[in-house]
Amino acid sequence: MNQPDHQMPPKAVIFDCDGVVVDSEEMTFDLLVDEFSCHGLTLTRDVIARDYIGGTMVDVATRARAAGARLPDDWVDRFYRRLYAHLAKGTPLVPGILQVLDGLDAAGIPYAIGSNGSDEKMQVTLGQHPGLIARFRGHLYSGQTLGRPKPAPDLYLHAARQLGAMPDTCVVIEDSPTGARAARAAGIRCLGYAAHTPAERLTAEGAEPFFAMPDLLARLNL
């Protein structure tokens, strides 16, 4: 089998959302620290970033209960309502992401978002920035809606199909080990945004780390 040529631009690019397109992770961690504390579990932001990043909120609740949090049965729905209201107050873009999208548009390379977050969450965060959702031309995909969130490969495989590209011609942009694992399972090259995630954790899942979003253009050979 021929190996993909990483000296050539990809046929399509698939972005994670939180922490890659919108800078929402720190805001989410702050709320989780408060929520867990209110339900009997004291964790630092660093521990939450290390042990809880990348999954769905159902996964987060399961892990927190196993660690001793006394979360009510409807905690996930309650937390989502609180989180969306918090994010709606202002969720900044990851610095440099618009420059990356401009470069992809100039090269005629299609792109999508593949997020473990809900469709509603993407509308809340991305929708704050005029014209941003339209740039993705309908290619916003939620692992929750699909029913197969990361680390399963299905979300990224689905996004690649919708973009009309074979997996081994795509590139995934991730910031979590869970997402990098999903990309590897899908057979898609992964570039790991390591501005806030330890590079070695991304490398361990097969991702190639980079540290500033504008550097991504060179990594994509644009």
Side-chain angles (χ1 to χ4, degrees), residues 152-163:
D154 306 58
L155 176 61
Y156 282 142
L157 292 172
H158 176 75
R161 282 194 300 272
Q162 296 303 310
L163 292 171

Side-chain angles (χ1 to χ4, degrees), residues 31-130:
L31 283 186
L32 286 173
V33 167
D34 182 62
E35 282 283 326
F36 291 165
S37 177
C38 289
H39 293 93
L41 177 63
T42 300
L43 295 177
T44 65
R45 291 175 68 210
D46 288 345
V47 169
I48 289 175
R50 185 190 69 205
D51 295 341
Y52 293 82
I53 188 174
T56 65
M57 208 52 64
V58 172
D59 296 329
V60 167
T62 298
R63 295 175 199 171
R65 288 186 178 110
R70 297 181 295 275
L71 303 180
D73 291 342
D74 63 347
W75 179 83
V76 171
D77 289 338
R78 284 190 190 179
F79 181 77
Y80 272 135
R81 288 194 295 271
R82 184 181 179 193
L83 176 63
Y84 296 164
H86 188 55
L87 294 174
K89 295 176 183 177
T91 307
L93 295 175
V94 168
I97 188 62
L98 294 182
Q99 181 180 341
V100 172
L101 298 185
D102 288 344
L104 292 172
D105 286 339
I109 296 173
Y111 47 87
I113 284 180
S115 175
N116 267 0
S118 67
D119 290 304
E120 182 180 356
K121 184 180 182 184
M122 285 189 277
Q123 292 296 320
V124 169
T125 57
L126 301 173
Q128 298 174 29
H129 304 280

Side-chain angles (χ1 to χ4, degrees), residues 121-179:
K121 184 180 182 184
M122 285 189 277
Q123 292 296 320
V124 169
T125 57
L126 301 173
Q128 298 174 29
H129 304 280
L132 183 58
I133 288 177
R135 297 190 72 164
F136 286 87
R137 298 175 174 84
H139 294 296
L140 303 179
Y141 304 112
S142 164
Q144 292 186 42
T145 299
L146 194 64
R148 291 285 291 169
K150 312 167 202 174
D154 306 58
L155 176 61
Y156 282 142
L157 292 172
H158 176 75
R161 282 194 300 272
Q162 296 303 310
L163 292 171
M166 297 297 294
D168 63 358
T169 68
C170 296
V171 171
V172 157
I173 314 301
E174 264 291 351
D175 73 324
S176 76
T178 299

